[in-house]
Amino acid sequence: MTFVALYTINNSARSIARLCQVSRSAHGTAEFHSFVARYSTLRKCAFLPGGKWSFTRAITRQMSQASPGRISLGRYGRGVFLAAGAAAVTGILTAGVSHFQRAEMATKVSKVEEEEGDIRERCKSFMSLPVTDIKVLEQRKDAMSTRMEMLIMETQAAFCRALEEVDGGSFRVDRWSRKEGGGGISCVMQDGKVFEKAGVNVSVVFGNLTEEAARQMRSRGKVLKGKDGKLPFCAMGVSSVIHPKNPHIPTVHFNYRYFEIEEADGSKQWWFGGGTDLTPVYVDLEDATHFHKTLKKACDKHHPKYYPDFKKWCDNYFYIRHRAETRGIGGIFFDDLDSPNQEEVFNFVKSCAKTVVPCYLPIVYKHLNDSFTPEEKDWQQVRRGRYVEFNLVYDRGVKFGLATPGSRIESILMSLPLTARWEYMHEPTKGSREAEMLEVLRNPKEWI
């Protein structure tokens, strides 16, 4: 069952009305209204049939006409959007629009949501209990490792709930442990209605770096001084790759991570890394603009050079050298980020993590019912082959995971699609949409 949401945007004397669909899950009604109340865009919503809705912080509703019932976000629970922000809700509600340019895809987060709050209460919205024991997290609640673990758990939960809403399926949640220290939570949905394979992983591991892993880091300019040949480390992150069935819905990837190494004198080196990037099968200027604008807004809150620098870094990093083409149309990517200070870098990473729903879900909803031909599906399979090539040959995360004892191989290779295709000497027909896509991949462009 669906409700149709009608919202208006008044930039001048005329109001531009748009329609979008919000699915109502069979799981029941969630207390969604408190999120909506914080955002001016959603306060303009009227839900049909019936009359206008108004929202208050007390989670009350008043209707000027007959009440059609409540909006349901299914399994979305209280607090689940702390990681992705209420902008995620805006993204979902506006997801069915035909043009992104006139819709306000907000990425701003209210001060209330910036507050990190009670750890035990926040854990209730997660897909699983955190990797680290809750009592330990409470004891060291101000430590960066604790704050980052809470952020990645919230990001995982927010993104999984959003994907479940659009697909109608549910994630398989696997907890795993690593005998050397730590573990993770893998959430995977396969053969859904919308997504062929969707994975959202959290890992929190610690122990001593292997020589191979240390060598990889030294190759990136890290000066690491161990004690008795040992380098104690702690690494954590959230990583996701989504492979849709419909070739008109792009693949998306994001990863946000934190690393600490304790050196011989007891001092710690730390850094953050991550990014979000989009891999479409066909060029859609509207989608690309929306995706990059959402990321740019998050970056601009912290430094005007972040978006242009990290967009360029993304294009360079996700480059398949043996094919002379990029994996997709980019986004942002950064690594070894340790300045200006830990708090400011963490806040930047948090802003980026909160964009993962609003930058992607509107695109999914837009193309949800697009028809496609067998030839378009074949082209999707060819492009997925390129995705596999990059991940297995060049990806740092895959390399580090495979070089770390006790790593969970199933989680590392979660990023690979269920199906892919390699055709001998494949070249798209000149002037085709496939050729247009390949041209963009061979010559990355600015989207905004």
Side-chain angles (χ1 to χ4, degrees):
M1 181 178 180
T2 59
F3 285 106
V4 180
L6 175 68
Y7 66 93
T8 57
I9 302 174
N10 289 311
N11 290 327
S12 62
R14 297 192 312 174
S15 296
I16 302 169
R18 304 292 175 125
L19 293 176
C20 64
Q21 290 187 330
V22 181
S23 65
R24 181 171 185 174
S25 168
H27 297 293
T29 299
E31 293 187 65
F32 169 61
H33 306 81
S34 59
F35 297 112
V36 180
R38 296 173 187 155
Y39 290 86
S40 59
T41 303
L42 298 184
R43 290 194 193 103
K44 297 176 183 179
C45 287
F47 297 91
L48 308 177
K52 295 182 178 180
W53 289 71
S54 63
F55 300 96
T56 69
R57 293 191 181 274
I59 316 176
T60 61
R61 62 180 183 142
Q62 297 174 339
M63 301 191 66
S64 60
Q65 298 177 24
S67 170
R70 295 186 180 182
I71 302 173
S72 169
L73 282 188
R75 294 175 58 195
Y76 288 170
R78 189 192 300 265
V80 76
F81 276 87
L82 285 174
V89 182
T90 304
I92 293 171
L93 285 177
T94 61
V97 303
S98 58
H99 300 284
F100 291 117
Q101 290 94 330
R102 296 180 183 178
E104 179 186 355
M105 301 297 181
T107 57
K108 295 181 180 179
V109 181
S110 70
K111 292 181 179 180
V112 174
E113 288 166 306
E114 291 287 355
E115 297 174 3
E116 297 188 347
D118 177 73
I119 286 179
R120 192 169 295 271
E121 188 65 27
R122 290 164 68 193
C123 289
K124 292 179 181 179
S125 68
F126 296 167
M127 299 298 286
S128 172
L129 290 174
V131 177
T132 304
D133 186 87
I134 293 178
K135 290 182 179 179
V136 175
L137 293 174
E138 289 177 324
Q139 290 169 0
R140 59 183 197 199
K141 65 179 182 179
D142 295 327
M144 184 52 68
S145 58
T146 295
R147 297 171 68 193
M148 186 64 180
E149 183 169 351
M150 295 298 289
L151 175 63
I152 62 180
M153 291 295 298
E154 287 168 340
T155 304
Q156 180 188 53
F159 200 55
C160 285
R161 305 297 188 200
L163 297 178
E164 286 179 333
E165 258 329 294
V166 66
D167 187 275
S170 59
F171 278 87
R172 171 179 172 173
V173 181
D174 288 336
R175 289 183 64 89
W176 54 273
S177 60
R178 175 177 174 269
K179 65 179 181 179
E180 293 82 1
I185 299 144
S186 295
C187 297
V188 178
M189 178 165 55
Q190 289 187 170
D191 288 320
K193 293 178 181 178
V194 178
F195 304 110
E196 181 179 287
K197 188 177 182 185
V200 193
N201 287 343
V202 158
S203 63
V204 180
V205 298
F206 53 87
N208 289 294
L209 280 182
T210 64
E211 183 54 38
E212 183 179 351
R215 187 163 50 248
Q216 288 181 20
M217 292 184 179
R218 291 189 181 103
S219 71
R220 288 152 47 192
K222 297 291 182 187
V223 179
L224 306 175
K225 300 176 182 179
K227 184 177 183 181
D228 300 324
K230 294 182 178 180
L231 278 167
F233 81 97
C234 171
M236 61 189 66
V238 58
S239 179
S240 179
V241 178
I242 310 301
H243 294 292
K245 288 185 172 180
N246 192 317
H248 298 294
I249 302 177
T251 288
V252 73
H253 159 262
F254 70 83
N255 176 286
Y256 292 99
R257 56 194 178 273
Y258 174 69
F259 213 98
E260 276 185 0
I261 290 182
E262 185 176 331
E263 299 195 89
D265 61 0
S267 62
K268 290 183 179 180
Q269 283 198 51
W270 60 265
W271 61 89
F272 291 87
T276 304
D277 62 280
L278 197 68
T279 304
V281 175
Y282 292 98
V283 177
D284 187 308
L285 180 59
E286 193 173 56
D287 293 353
T289 301
H290 164 74
F291 184 80
H292 279 269
K293 274 187 175 180
T294 305
L295 293 174
K296 185 177 184 298
K297 286 180 182 179
C299 291
D300 287 351
K301 289 165 57 178
H302 300 274
H303 198 289
K305 291 194 68 179
Y306 275 178
Y307 173 76
D309 288 353
F310 296 159
K311 192 270 183 188
K312 183 178 180 180
W313 198 345
C314 186
D315 290 337
N316 291 336
Y317 177 76
F318 291 105
Y319 183 70
I320 309 171
R321 290 192 293 275
H322 61 272
R323 297 285 189 182
E325 60 191 47
T326 58
R327 189 176 74 174
I329 63 167
I332 59 170
F333 175 84
F334 57 92
D335 208 355
D336 302 325
L337 196 61
D338 56 6
S339 64
N341 59 62
Q342 193 176 57
E343 188 67 24
E344 289 192 33
V345 180
F346 174 68
N347 285 333
F348 167 63
V349 170
K350 184 160 57 172
S351 293
C352 292
K354 289 178 179 181
T355 68
V356 297
V357 172
C359 76
Y360 183 59
L361 263 295
I363 297 173
V364 174
Y365 276 95
K366 173 186 170 183
H367 297 288
L368 204 54
N369 298 312
D370 286 4
S371 60
F372 56 89
T373 66
E375 292 75 21
E376 289 172 332
K377 187 67 178 178
D378 286 345
W379 174 240
Q380 180 195 52
Q381 298 297 295
V382 170
R383 294 316 311 167
R384 282 185 178 173
R386 301 292 200 269
Y387 204 95
V388 171
E389 290 174 27
F390 176 86
N391 283 25
L392 295 183
V393 177
Y394 301 112
D395 189 77
R396 281 184 186 178
V398 171
K399 286 184 175 180
F400 177 79
L402 295 177
T404 303
S407 294
R408 191 168 189 261
I409 302 303
E410 288 294 329
S411 297
I412 295 171
L413 300 182
M414 169 219 70
S415 63
L416 304 182
L418 284 184
T419 58
R421 183 183 182 99
W422 283 265
E423 291 188 15
Y424 182 69
M425 299 296 288
H426 182 275
E427 190 70 25
T429 303
K430 188 175 181 180
S432 66
R433 293 192 66 205
E434 291 79 10
E436 178 191 24
M437 183 76 254
L438 196 56
E439 175 63 23
V440 168
L441 299 177
R442 290 173 175 170
N443 298 283
K445 59 180 293 183
E446 299 300 318
W447 298 100
I448 54 176

